[in-house]
Amino acid sequence: MIPLNIQIKSIIFSFIYGCFFSFLLNINYKFIYLSKGIKKIVFNLMFVIDNVLLYFIILRYLNNGVLHFYFILSIILGFLSVNKLTSKYLKPKNR
C-alpha cells in the first residue's frame, strides 16, 4: 500500500505530465502527422518511447515505479484538459 502523500504527489505529477504530453504533441504535430512513409513511423515510435520512458523514470523516483489506474486516468484528464483549453483559446478567428 502506498502512503497517501505519495499517492497525491503521483496523481498530481500524472496530471501535469498529461498536460506536458499534450503540449509536446502539439509541438511535434508537423513531424508526426505530416511526414510520409518510414519517417512518420520512426518519429511516432521515438516520440512515444521517449515519453513513456521519461514518465516511468520520474514515477520510479516518486514512488518506486508503482503504477495505478488513477495515475493513467490523471494523465488522460491532463491531456484532454490542455487540448480543450488550447482549442478554445487558440482557435483562429474568422475575419
Side-chain angles (χ1 to χ4, degrees):
M1 192 114 184
I2 303 173
L4 185 60
N5 61 346
I6 294 176
Q7 282 185 9
I8 292 173
K9 287 179 187 177
S10 299
I11 289 173
I12 291 171
F13 165 71
S14 295
F15 182 81
I16 292 171
Y17 195 81
C19 298
F20 176 71
F21 183 72
S22 176
F23 177 71
L24 286 179
L25 190 64
N26 288 333
I27 290 175
N28 289 325
Y29 179 83
K30 178 176 72 173
F31 297 114
I32 294 174
Y33 294 109
L34 300 179
S35 299
K36 294 182 180 178
I38 195 77
K39 280 175 76 175
K40 182 176 184 175
I41 294 170
V42 170
F43 279 129
N44 197 5
L45 189 63
M46 291 301 294
F47 180 74
V48 169
I49 289 173
D50 288 344
N51 279 294
V52 168
L53 284 175
L54 181 64
Y55 177 73
F56 280 113
I57 287 170
I58 297 172
L59 196 66
R60 184 167 182 197
Y61 174 75
L62 285 176
N63 66 2
N64 288 330
V66 176
L67 185 64
H68 198 272
F69 179 69
Y70 296 134
F71 303 158
I72 297 170
L73 283 178
S74 191
I75 290 172
I76 294 169
L77 286 175
F79 181 84
L80 293 176
S81 64
V82 168
N83 274 346
K84 186 71 169 171
L85 287 174
T86 56
S87 67
K88 183 177 180 180
Y89 290 113
L90 297 178
K91 188 179 354 178
K93 297 179 181 178
N94 295 332
R95 292 185 182 193

